[in-house]
Amino acid sequence: MTDSLRGKRVFITGSLQGIGLGIATVFARHGVDLVLHGLGDAALIASAEAKVTRAGAGRVESHNTDLRDSTATEDLVAKLLAGGPIDILVNNAGIQHTATLSEMPREKWNDIIAVNLSSYFDTMRLILPQMAASGFGRVINIASVHGLVGSAAKGPYVAAKHGVVGLTKVAALEYANVGSRDSGGVTVNAICPGWVETSLIEPQIQVRVDKFNGDRLAGIADLLSEKEPSRRMSSPDEIGELALWLCSKAAHNITGTAIPVDGGWTAQ
Ligand code: NAD
C-alpha cells in the first residue's frame, strides 16, 4: 500500500526532533521527498536530515521559520509550492506550559494558541486548495488526548488541541467530495496521542523523577498511573506508522476523525 507514496512530497511542521522527526523517519522508509521544519540550529538540522536520508528519503529540504508569525508561514508555503505540489501535510509543531488559569502568563496563552492551533489553520488554508486541484491530499493534524478531554493546569494547550479537533472536522467536510477512490481523495484527520517520550513532556517527567529521588522509571510510572491505563508510553515512530496508514489510498474514506493513541486514557 505504501509503495504508492514513493516520490510524494511530505511537509511536516516541527520535524527536526520528537514526534515530527519520528513521523518523518517512518515516511522516509517509503521513499518520500521530505520538507523538514522547526526551530533549531544548523547542527540539529544536519542531524535530522542525516537520519531521514539514512532511512531512505528522496529529496530532503529543511526550513527554520517561526510559526507564530503567519506572514512568515505564508512566505514559506509560497516558496514550497513554487518548488512543486505538497501531497501530504503533517501539522505537528507544538509547545506546552503547565500552570493553573490564574497563574498562566498571558503571553503563554498567545504563544500556545499561535503555534498549536493558528499555525494549523494557516498551513491548511494555504495548502488544501492545491491538494484539491490534484485530487489527492492528506492532512494529519497532531492533536492530543487533550483535544478530547481536559486536565488541570493545561488551559491554553487543552483549548488549542480541542480547537485542532474541531478545525479538522471542518476542513474534512469542506474537501470530502474531492477526487475519487482511484485518485485517493483529500482527507483531513487528527491523531490524539497520550504520553509520548519527547522533550515536550520532559519538565513533567522531571517533577516526578524528583519526587522519586532521581529514579526515572519510578517517576514515569507514577506519571502514567494517573491517566494512561496501559502504563506504556508511545514512541514517535508508532505515531508515524498510524500517520503513514492514513496516507494510503485505502484510507480514502476516513476523514474528519480524531484517533486516540492513548492506552485507554479517553476510554475511561
Ligand atoms: P518537541 O518539543 O520534541 O517538538 C516540537 C516541535 O515543534 C519542535 O520541532 C519545535 O522546533 C517546533 N516548534 C515549537 N515552537 C515552534 C515555533 N514557534 N515555530 C516553529 N516550530 C516550532 O515535542 P513533541 O512531543 O514531539 O510534540 C509534537 C506534537 O505532538 C505537539 O503538537 C504536541 O502537542 C503533540 N503531542 C505530544 C505528546 C507527548 O507526550 N510528547 C502527546 C500528545 C501530543
Side-chain angles (χ1 to χ4, degrees), residues 157-171:
Y157 189 85
V158 169
K161 295 298 188 181
H162 274 69
V164 167
V165 169
L167 197 57
T168 298
K169 292 177 185 173
V170 172

Side-chain angles (χ1 to χ4, degrees), residues 1 60 142 177 189 210:
M1 69 93 176
V60 180
I142 303 303
N177 68 353
N189 291 287
D210 293 346

Side-chain angles (χ1 to χ4, degrees), residues 13-21 37-40 44 64-69 91-96 111 114-116 119-120 142-146 157 161 191-202 204 233-234 236 239:
T13 67
S15 49
L16 299 178
Q17 63 185 61
I19 294 174
L21 182 56
H37 167 274
L39 302 180
L44 189 70
N64 180 344
T65 64
D66 192 329
L67 291 167
R68 290 173 299 181
D69 178 353
N91 280 311
N92 163 79
I95 51 175
Q96 174 65 291
D111 284 350
V115 178
N116 297 15
S119 82
Y120 290 37
I142 303 303
S144 165
V145 284
H146 288 114
Y157 189 85
K161 295 298 188 181
I191 294 178
C192 299
W195 294 111
V196 186
E197 196 166 0
T198 70
S199 59
L200 184 104
I201 63 164
E202 196 51 35
Q204 296 173 75
M233 290 215 201
S234 297
I239 306 302

Side-chain angles (χ1 to χ4, degrees), residues 199-217:
S199 59
L200 184 104
I201 63 164
E202 196 51 35
Q204 296 173 75
I205 290 178
Q206 272 312 317
V207 170
R208 305 301 174 112
V209 174
D210 293 346
K211 188 175 148 192
F212 288 86
N213 302 317
D215 184 338
R216 187 173 175 87
L217 289 180

Side-chain angles (χ1 to χ4, degrees), residues 17-29:
Q17 63 185 61
I19 294 174
L21 182 56
I23 295 170
T25 307
V26 169
F27 276 95
R29 291 183 199 130

